[in-house]
Amino acid sequence: MLLGVIADDFTGASDIANTLAKGAQGTQGMAVTQYFGIPAKAAEADCEAGVISLKSRSIPAREAVDLSLKALDWLLRQGCEQIVFKYCSTFDSTPEGNIGPVGEALSDALSVKGVVACPAFPATGRTLYQGHLFVHDRLLNESGLENHPLNPMTDADLRRWLKRQSKATVGLVPWALVRKGDSAIKAALTEAAEKGDKLVIVDALTEDDLIAIGKACADARLISGGSGIAMGLPQNFAAAGKLKPGSRAWRGIGGPEAILAGSCSTATRRQVEHHAARHPVLAIDAEAVIAGKLAPETIVAFMRENEGRQPLAYSSSSPDEVSAIQTRHGREKSAHALESFFAETARALVASGVRRLVVAGGETSGAAVSGLALDAVTIGPEIDPGVPALATLGEKKVALALKSGNFGAEDFFAKALDRLGAQA
């Protein structure tokens, strides 16, 4: 294994796995395996990039650090030459962490400073200028992310936000330097390291900027950012003659289908509305779930009754509705009840014969994967930017799409099911 990724949630892990597998336009991608949790055994012999999916974004910082260091240890034992700490392209975190604490812990473990911190992902509208993160034409804290139920992002100045989470100083490589190319970026990172900056926010407005950043980091032991930061990394290994020719074959899986949506993001709610106009949908009453009055079997029965019609079950309420539920029942109790429900539902769906499963929402995807007790998946073709088709390893053959709440076009759900079944 050449490259190891530590991702702080499951959908983000699929996102960067997709980036590494396809490579930048016209360049060779890598043979990628996505692992759910820290593997108990060695990686497959043909794996060039291993992506470890953790659920560490919203847990206490100490726990996130501990999990991430254990993931680092496993990746280093597989021979990884470079490590990427992957977090959300909207920098989802709280003033206490977990990006800063985990980033600094990995920096200390690898004895490096001047580590890139760049969540930019232009293909989905995330750009970084003068250290400020934009979502399309809006500052992060005016984009709707300020209402996130778990990690409300109330400040677009990532230097200021990251400094609140960090012990060391936080640097900046502004776009005026980034646009000069990889040599200028590398020099700026070296200067930041000499000043003692462990993490350095690096501006990026275009994919060319991300590729230049990747080239500047060809010899870096540690990089951090969103999935876009990985765009230029396969090319570095290819240029060094370390990638094997060709790529793993990927074939879709046919069979009964189901869609689960648990994100309250604007994008997912639009996708649910679009799908509902054309296919059968079932609203999941969060109050009934919390009270124990709704069983997974109800969802399974709905899906099987509508087999072949792309059925969808969703609990994608508005932020105000989610906030009201959390006020009545408590944030932790509400989240635990819904995650447990989706975990049990995913397990019951696959046990009933479902072989194509689309899940929307980071926490919901994590719950579904946990419910299915999956160890690893291979990476297939891209469905929409940042969302690949996945196929399980081993005897239990299931095709999956794990979508971050804010990703995907309006017709994502139908398109995802078609791609999961494609025999390409």
Side-chain angles (χ1 to χ4, degrees):
M1 188 183 294
L2 299 168
L3 177 69
V5 179
I6 301 168
D8 67 358
D9 84 333
F10 286 14
T11 55
S14 295
D15 183 1
I16 195 167
N18 173 65
T19 301
L20 291 168
K22 69 178 184 178
Q25 188 172 6
T27 65
Q28 183 179 351
M30 304 179 79
V32 185
T33 300
Q34 179 179 349
Y35 301 95
F36 298 106
I38 301 167
K41 58 184 180 180
E44 300 83 359
D46 65 344
C47 178
E48 295 171 332
V51 180
I52 294 183
S53 320
L54 301 177
K55 289 190 68 178
S56 57
R57 179 171 297 172
S58 304
I59 63 177
R62 284 188 179 182
E63 294 178 23
V65 167
D66 182 59
L67 272 176
S68 301
L69 289 176
K70 289 178 179 176
L72 174 66
D73 178 67
W74 185 85
L75 290 168
L76 293 178
R77 284 189 279 114
Q78 309 314 304
C80 289
E81 301 174 10
Q82 189 170 66
I83 301 295
V84 178
F85 168 37
K86 196 278 175 192
Y87 38 81
C88 188
S89 61
T90 49
F91 216 70
D92 290 8
S93 55
T94 68
E96 294 75 34
N98 290 341
I99 294 173
V102 172
E104 289 192 327
L106 295 173
S107 168
D108 290 342
L110 292 169
S111 300
V112 294
K113 293 180 181 179
V115 176
V116 166
C118 179
F121 193 179
T124 57
R126 279 69 160 163
T127 55
L128 198 58
Y129 182 70
Q130 297 290 19
H132 288 66
L133 185 58
F134 288 80
V135 178
H136 299 291
D137 63 343
R138 298 289 181 181
L139 285 165
L140 176 66
N141 58 306
E142 299 174 359
S143 67
L145 271 297
E146 69 273 22
N147 299 316
H148 193 288
L150 295 178
N151 302 304
M153 299 306 297
T154 57
D155 192 348
D157 186 335
L158 296 194
R159 279 186 297 172
R160 188 162 54 208
W161 195 256
L162 186 55
K163 177 54 186 168
R164 296 173 71 180
Q165 305 174 5
S166 307
K167 296 177 181 178
T169 54
V170 177
L172 171 69
V173 179
W175 188 72
L177 278 176
V178 171
R179 68 191 294 263
K180 293 181 179 180
D182 58 284
S183 296
I185 297 168
K186 186 173 183 178
L189 292 171
T190 299
E191 182 179 346
E194 291 171 350
K195 286 167 50 183
D197 299 336
K198 289 186 178 178
L199 300 175
V200 183
I201 301 295
V202 182
D203 283 351
L205 298 179
T206 67
E207 291 188 352
D208 286 342
D209 293 337
L210 292 172
I211 292 171
I213 294 168
K215 189 173 181 181
C217 294
D219 299 321
R221 287 284 282 153
L222 176 65
I223 308 167
S224 80
S227 65
I229 201 64
M231 286 187 63
L233 302 185
Q235 189 173 352
N236 292 337
F237 290 106
K242 295 181 178 180
L243 298 187
K244 298 174 183 176
S247 60
R248 292 172 171 172
W250 192 93
R251 291 179 64 83
I253 297 171
E257 78 284 15
I259 307 168
L260 299 174
S263 168
C264 66
S265 73
T266 300
T268 296
R269 286 186 287 122
R270 285 176 180 165
Q271 290 158 354
V272 169
E273 183 179 359
H274 180 87
H275 198 79
R278 299 159 179 80
H279 307 279
V281 301
L282 176 66
I284 297 173
D285 185 345
E287 295 278 5
V289 171
I290 295 168
K293 295 180 179 179
L294 180 63
E297 288 72 24
T298 301
I299 310 302
V300 173
F302 168 77
M303 297 294 186
R304 298 316 302 266
E305 287 169 5
N306 290 284
E307 184 179 323
R309 300 174 62 200
Q310 302 187 346
L312 160 68
Y314 69 95
S315 67
S316 301
S317 304
S318 71
D320 288 343
E321 291 170 324
V322 172
S323 179
I325 291 170
Q326 291 177 339
T327 299
R328 285 193 293 272
H329 301 284
R331 174 175 155 178
E332 290 188 9
K333 180 181 178 181
S334 303
H336 177 72
L338 286 166
E339 287 185 31
S340 297
F341 180 82
F342 278 113
E344 293 171 14
T345 299
R347 181 166 54 246
L349 284 169
V350 171
S352 76
V354 166
R355 290 296 173 264
R356 290 179 292 151
L357 180 62
V358 178
V359 188
E363 299 300 322
T364 308
S365 293
V369 168
S370 297
L372 295 175
L374 299 180
D375 295 323
V377 291
T378 55
I379 312 302
E382 186 175 60
I383 301 167
D384 269 336
V387 192
L390 309 172
T392 57
L393 294 172
E395 296 181 1
K396 188 191 296 181
K397 297 297 183 184
V398 180
L400 299 163
L402 306 177
K403 185 191 84 72
S404 177
N406 287 300
F407 283 13
E410 279 194 344
D411 62 346
F412 174 81
F413 293 134
K415 185 163 47 179
L417 286 176
D418 289 342
R419 189 63 56 86
L420 293 181
Q423 300 299 301

